[in-house]
Amino acid sequence: MDHDEFIKLVKSCVDTSSPESEDQFKVFRDRCSYVTIKQDAGDDSFVELRKRMESFVEGDEPQNRHFYMALPPNIYVAVSEQLRRNCYSEKGNSQLILEPNWKENEIFRIDHYLGKEMVKNIMTLRFGNPMFGAVWDCTHIDNVQISMTEAIGTEGRGGYFDGVGIIRDVMQNHLMQLLALTTMERPGSFSAEDLRQEKTRVLRLVPPLDVKNTMIGQFVNSADGEQPGYKDDDSVPADSRCATFCACVAYVKNARWEGVPFILKSGKALSESKTEIRIQLKDTTDGMLRETAHNQLIIRIQPDEAIRLKMNAKYPGLELRCVGTELDLSYKRTVPDPDIPEAYESLLLDAFNGDYSESVSEQELEASWRIFTPLLHHLEGHKEIKPAEYAYELIALQGRRVQMA
C-alpha cells in the first residue's frame, strides 16, 4: 500500500455525503501520511518514520508522539525497542498504545471494551442509583453471568487464533474488565488512580479459576455443511486442541460477594453476536405470591445498547396472579438518534489527552493473568483434555461436559 491507496481506504470509512463533511475530510486528509515499516529490516524504516514526523513541525517546536501498535504480541518488544531508539520525541511526550497488553507512564494499554458506551455506564448505573446499591451484594444476588458471543468463526484468522485461544483472546481481558467494574467498591473519585486502584483491589480477591468449574469447546462445520469448522481452516493444525468456546465460574472472596458465582462465557460460531451482563437476584420469599420469576438486571453492551430490569407484576383481572414484565431503557428508544462514539474514538482521545482512567494498569494486568494462568497451564499441559465439539451456530453445547481430570 502506498500513500494514495491509504487515503482511498481512509475515505471509504468516512461519510462525505454533504459538502460540509467533504470539506472536513479534506482538512483531515491533509494531516494523514503513510509510511511502510519493515520491522525485520533493521532501523532504516524507523528512521524514515522519524523524519516524516519531524517534517510536521517547524524548528524546535515540541512534538508529542503516540504509537498505537495494532500488532501481534510476539513483536511488541522488538518494535518498542526500535521506536525508542529511533522515533521518541526529544522535546515532547512519547507514548505506546497497546492492545491488550519502558516506563508505565509511557504505556497506554487499550482494552477497547472500556471505551464502549454501556461499559462506561456501569459505574453511573451502580453509584448513581441508590436502589441498585442497596441490593448489590450476596444477600440479594444469586449469580452474575458475563457473556460475549460471536455468530462468526475465525474468518481466516485461524492460524493466529490457534496460538491464542478464546481465553487469552477475550476472557482474560474483556470479561475481566467487565467483572471488575461490576464488583469493585465505590472509588474515591473518577480519577485514573482511584478507578484503577479499585479494579486492581477486587481482581486480587478472585482466586485462580478451578478447572473443575470450566468447560471448553471447539466448533465444527454447521449442520447443513455450509459453514466450515475451525479445523477446516488450512492454517489450523489438524490436531489442534485450541478452545473456541469457554465457560467457567469465578468467585470474589470478600464479604460483599461471598458465595456468588460469576459465570463467564465466551465463544465463536454461536447462534448470535452479543455482549451482556446478566445479574440475577434471589428468589422471593415463599408466601402469598406463587410462581414468581427471578428479578434480573440485564446490561446489554452490544448490539442495541440497553438496560433492562425484569420484574414481577400482577396480571390484570380479579385473580391474584403474577406475570413477568420488563422495564426497558434502550438507547435507541429513549434517546433520539444517539451519537454514540466508537470505542476506539473515545480511548484514543483519552490517550492524546493523557487521561489514563480507561487504560489498563500494570497491576490490573498482573491480577487478571494470575486468575487465568494456572487454568491455561493445566489445559495446555494435559494432552488428554480435548474441547467438546459443537456445530457452527449452535446455541449451546447440548449439556456435554469435558472431563477435566
Side-chain angles (χ1 to χ4, degrees):
M1 181 184 294
D2 59 19
H3 177 79
D4 292 338
E5 291 172 330
F6 173 70
I7 295 300
K8 289 180 182 178
L9 177 62
V10 172
K11 188 170 184 178
S12 70
C13 301
V14 178
D15 180 6
T16 56
S17 56
S18 67
E20 181 183 5
S21 61
E22 178 67 30
D23 291 340
Q24 290 174 336
F25 174 74
K26 289 178 180 178
V27 174
F28 177 71
R29 177 198 63 194
D30 293 340
R31 297 178 179 177
C32 295
S33 183
Y34 184 83
V35 178
T36 300
I37 297 294
K38 296 180 180 179
Q39 178 267 328
D40 56 353
D43 289 351
D44 291 348
S45 295
F46 291 87
V47 171
E48 181 183 352
L49 175 61
R50 185 192 69 216
K51 292 178 179 178
R52 184 70 62 87
M53 291 187 292
E54 290 173 345
S55 70
F56 298 150
V57 296
E58 298 180 358
D60 293 332
E61 182 181 349
Q63 184 182 59
N64 295 332
R65 298 173 183 172
H66 302 268
F67 302 98
Y68 172 40
M69 305 207 306
L71 301 170
N74 62 314
I75 63 172
Y76 275 168
V77 174
V79 173
S80 298
E81 290 174 346
Q82 288 167 310
L83 288 172
R84 172 179 281 279
R85 207 162 42 239
N86 300 289
C87 298
Y88 267 34
S89 178
E90 296 179 359
K91 297 183 179 180
N93 296 322
S94 297
Q95 183 182 67
L96 300 179
I97 303 176
L98 309 180
E99 184 175 1
N101 333 301
W102 54 267
K103 297 177 183 177
E104 178 70 11
N105 63 0
E106 292 178 352
I107 300 176
F108 191 98
R109 294 184 186 87
I110 278 185
D111 184 323
H112 72 274
Y113 263 66
L114 292 178
K116 291 185 178 295
E117 184 65 24
M118 283 307 303
V119 174
K120 295 197 285 187
N121 205 346
I122 292 174
M123 286 190 295
T124 302
L125 180 70
R126 286 191 58 189
F127 305 125
N129 296 287
M131 65 177 179
F132 291 130
V135 298
W136 213 265
D137 56 34
C138 60
T139 303
H140 300 91
I141 292 177
D142 182 76
N143 68 79
V144 179
Q145 302 173 45
I146 304 176
S147 60
M148 175 184 172
T149 61
E150 294 180 283
I152 61 173
T154 50
E155 305 298 304
R157 296 174 62 245
Y160 164 77
F161 188 85
D162 202 70
V164 179
I166 196 69
I167 296 176
R168 291 185 178 92
D169 191 46
V170 171
M171 303 184 77
Q172 175 274 329
N173 41 48
H174 304 329
L175 296 196
M176 278 295 97
Q177 286 297 317
L178 297 182
L179 183 145
L181 289 169
T182 303
T183 59
M184 71 180 189
E185 297 299 318
R186 179 191 291 269
S189 70
F190 283 170
S191 70
E193 181 179 359
D194 287 348
L195 284 174
R196 302 203 296 182
Q197 185 179 68
E198 289 300 336
K199 286 194 292 178
T200 299
R201 182 175 287 122
V202 76
L203 288 175
R204 287 173 174 169
L205 295 173
V206 180
L209 296 175
D210 188 343
V211 70
K212 294 179 181 179
N213 289 331
T214 302
M215 181 180 186
I216 59 173
Q218 185 184 93
F219 70 87
V220 296
N221 60 298
S222 58
D224 58 12
E226 292 188 2
Q227 298 293 344
Y230 175 68
K231 288 190 284 193
D232 292 332
D233 187 325
D234 292 338
S235 62
V236 174
D239 60 350
S240 172
R241 297 187 300 117
C242 178
T244 61
F245 172 92
C246 181
C248 56
V249 182
Y251 292 92
V252 179
K253 296 296 184 178
N254 64 4
R256 179 186 293 275
W257 297 110
E258 185 65 35
V260 177
F262 289 82
I263 303 164
L264 311 176
K265 298 179 288 185
S266 185
K268 293 183 174 293
L270 298 175
S271 62
E272 62 179 325
S273 295
K274 69 175 182 179
T275 303
E276 69 178 22
I277 303 171
R278 187 176 291 258
I279 300 166
Q280 182 167 301
L281 277 75
K282 293 184 177 180
D283 288 328
T284 56
T285 304
D286 289 338
M288 64 178 181
L289 297 177
R290 301 292 183 182
E291 299 180 355
T292 56
H294 288 283
N295 289 162
Q296 290 188 11
L297 176 65
I298 302 168
I299 304 171
R300 172 62 70 88
I301 294 168
Q302 66 178 23
D304 303 324
E305 297 87 346
I307 300 171
R308 299 188 179 97
L309 180 62
K310 291 183 176 292
M311 55 189 296
N312 297 295
K314 178 185 174 297
Y315 190 82
L318 298 176
E319 182 183 359
L320 180 57
R321 182 160 61 94
C322 287
V323 62
T325 187
E326 187 176 275
L327 297 178
D328 187 351
L329 169 60
S330 297
Y331 270 32
K332 292 181 180 180
R333 184 180 302 172
T334 58
V335 182
D337 300 320
D339 184 15
I340 301 177
E342 292 291 334
Y344 285 106
E345 181 181 352
S346 173
L347 293 174
L348 290 175
L349 181 61
D350 285 345
F352 297 154
N353 290 333
D355 181 356
Y356 282 77
S357 59
E358 292 173 359
S359 168
V360 180
S361 71
E362 181 179 5
Q363 290 74 28
E364 289 175 73
L365 200 61
E366 290 176 350
S368 180
W369 276 117
R370 180 192 56 80
I371 297 167
F372 282 94
T373 296
L375 173 65
L376 288 167
H377 285 174
H378 185 92
L379 296 177
E380 292 165 359
H382 289 73
K383 305 296 184 183
E384 72 278 10
I385 299 177
K386 300 182 186 299
E389 294 182 349
Y390 63 98
Y392 199 114
E393 294 184 349
L394 195 65
I395 293 178
L397 297 190
Q398 299 179 341
R400 294 181 61 183
R401 296 198 173 274
V402 183
Q403 182 63 37
M404 291 295 187

